[in-house]
Amino acid sequence: MLPLESQPETGGHGEAEDRGDARAGRRQPIPLARPVLSGNEGTYVRECVDTGWVTTGRFIGLLEDRIRELTSAPAAVACATGTAALHVALLLADVQPGDEVVVPSVTFIAPINAVRYVGAEPVFLGCNDFMGLDPAVLSDFLAEECRPSEEGPRDRATGRIVKAVIPVHVFGNPCDMASIADTCARHGVPVIEDACESVGSRWTSGRLDGRHTGTVGEFGAFSFNGNKIVTAAGGGMLITRDPAQAERARYLIDQAKDDGVRYVHGAVGYNYRLSNVQAAIGAAQLEELPRFIEMRRRNHALYAEALDGVEGLRLLGVPGGTAPNYWFYSLLVEPGQFGIDREALMVALERDGIQTRPLWPPNHLQSPYRDCRAYRVERASWFWERVLSLPCSCDLTEGDVREIAGAIIAAGETAS
Ligand SMILES: Cc1ncc(COP(=O)(O)O)c(C=O)c1O
């Protein structure tokens, strides 16, 4: 089974379509997450085509401006993908081969791969009730498992320097960034927020009241992959507080050109720029973001209501003091209490033409990383065994949600 994020949005849709039509025979299949492109996307892309500005052009700056306006981030740099933005953030944080980077075990694998791109080693930590990096575990790790050194906290077990921490705002739910940022500041470790899934999510109380995810750490990364709340047909955004770092990022993502005309390069650069056509789609999508969040919030409430009281099922809520973007809906299926387990429910729904996906396997158990250090990863497997992501596209109707909830309940009853 492919990880959820790597399901192409149309491919996933097509897959459900074949089976849905064959088995259900009554309606279009319901995909997990498809993009809704009903705003100015076509007009903006048309402009790119008509003017010939398809690779570079005004929409890249517009997309960056819109992200800065939305989040109040001082600087934003459009990148080819969210993974590229994370990779560049690690380079800017000066993470070197042999360094250590703290990551959660519960996340899509991209931020962990980015750690390896710079030759560093991930250390896996456990999660809280909303699958975000547990601030207490992080605090204990840095205080008890590391000793201070001039270069930063040194992990006593490995001898490596902890050069960065990457919290991930899983499925759009903001982590407890106030605690995480305090802990990291105390130990002198930069934070790179993986906000790839949480464009538009923010805190609504406490010290971070009004702040958007991705803007609290030294760096943040957004994704505009096809399954995200807003898409740019792929794409990402690097957020930084430091304009000089933003300039460095622009240099690195464009092959590190010292003299672009004479092909003089001053560093190992990358081809990580976003195209103007993609930025055009992204800029149009951002115009729809408030409406998209409202649709997803409404549908989350509808799912919660429709599944309320069903034994063995619980829809994961949202952390207090936050206004998330409700990107993905996590249904917790309690084995032995609901009629069937998470895996069987996914298969049953697929037969009904309803596409769902399991949570990612704990990353400290995935083959590229099973030899890495893991510290108090206590709940990743628990969530993995239970979480099923339900359809969440912004054009899901109230009727769709009720039908999906009905199919879930029926699947449990049929089995028991
Ligand atoms: C948590 C997380 N981090 C990073 C990424 C990488 O983003 P992209 O696919 O744009 O490279 C994704 C999703 O795709 C993600 O869900």
Side-chain angles (χ1 to χ4, degrees), residues 57-392:
R58 80 176 184 99
F59 288 110
I60 297 168
L62 183 65
L63 181 67
E64 291 173 347
D65 288 347
R66 289 201 165 152
I67 282 289
R68 281 193 301 101
E69 281 158 23
L70 173 75
T71 64
S72 303
V77 180
C79 297
T81 60
T83 311
L86 289 164
H87 183 185
V88 172
L90 286 158
L91 293 167
L92 297 176
D94 195 32
V95 179
Q96 299 283 337
D99 287 338
E100 215 161 77
V101 176
V102 170
V103 293
S105 181
V106 177
T107 172
F108 181 51
I109 203 166
I112 301 158
N113 288 337
V115 170
R116 272 285 167 81
Y117 299 166
V118 296
E121 284 295 307
V123 186
F124 294 94
L125 265 57
C127 67
N128 66 10
D129 292 350
F130 298 94
M131 296 187 275
L133 183 66
D134 189 327
V137 174
L138 175 66
S139 176
D140 289 351
F141 175 74
L142 290 173
E144 290 165 18
E145 298 289 310
C146 301
R147 64 180 163 76
S149 84
E150 267 181 21
E151 301 133 287
R154 187 179 293 277
D155 185 341
R156 293 176 202 270
T158 62
R160 299 180 195 277
I161 301 292
V162 179
K163 284 294 271 295
V165 172
I166 308 184
V168 178
H169 304 295
V170 171
F171 294 154
N173 277 334
C175 293
D176 180 355
M177 273 308 294
S179 303
I180 291 171
D182 281 351
T183 299
C184 288
R186 223 171 26 249
H187 294 273
V189 185
V191 179
I192 299 169
E193 276 180 81
D194 182 335
C196 284
E197 301 178 352
S198 63
V199 175
S201 297
R202 59 198 163 82
W203 291 271
T204 55
S205 72
R207 200 176 81 220
L208 297 179
D209 189 4
R211 297 277 293 274
H212 275 249
T213 57
T215 66
V216 179
E218 273 72 9
F219 302 99
F222 291 140
S223 168
F224 303 123
N225 187 26
N227 63 358
K228 296 297 184 284
I229 190 158
V230 283
T231 186
M237 189 71 68
L238 174 73
I239 302 294
T240 163
R241 289 192 229 131
D242 181 349
Q245 291 281 39
E247 275 324 293
R248 180 77 185 161
R250 290 186 200 286
Y251 174 75
L252 289 175
I253 68 171
D254 193 17
Q255 303 286 20
K257 291 174 187 157
D258 285 353
D259 182 335
V261 175
R262 294 170 189 81
Y263 305 107
V264 180
H265 304 269
V268 176
Y270 302 85
N271 186 6
Y272 276 175
R273 285 179 310 142
L274 188 71
S275 78
N276 199 41
V277 171
Q278 288 178 292
I281 295 172
Q285 287 266 291
L286 278 177
E287 294 167 6
E288 307 292 322
L289 182 62
R291 191 170 67 80
F292 286 174
I293 293 178
E294 181 46 32
M295 286 300 287
R296 286 172 120 102
R297 193 199 57 73
R298 184 205 71 172
N299 285 338
H300 183 269
L302 286 173
Y303 271 123
E305 183 198 305
L307 296 169
D308 187 37
V310 180
E311 201 187 343
L313 295 184
R314 178 167 70 88
L315 191 69
L316 192 71
V318 305
T322 71
N325 66 0
Y326 293 89
W327 178 54
F328 260 38
Y329 309 133
S330 300
L331 181 67
L332 291 153
V333 184
E334 196 56 46
Q337 288 183 23
F338 189 61
I340 48 177
D341 66 13
R342 191 276 317 273
E343 185 66 26
L345 178 57
M346 180 176 80
V347 173
L349 292 172
E350 193 87 39
R351 272 192 236 114
D352 280 345
I354 297 169
Q355 190 182 44
T356 59
R357 284 292 177 262
L359 185 66
W360 319 282
N363 281 299
H364 70 291
L365 304 178
Q366 303 255 29
S367 44
Y369 300 112
R370 62 172 61 121
D371 295 331
C372 295
R373 177 148 150 75
Y375 174 74
R376 285 176 49 194
V377 181
E378 286 148 9
R379 304 177 65 192
S381 295
W382 188 93
F383 278 114
W384 177 44
E385 284 160 14
R386 288 164 177 76
V387 170
L388 188 67
S389 293
L390 303 180
C392 63

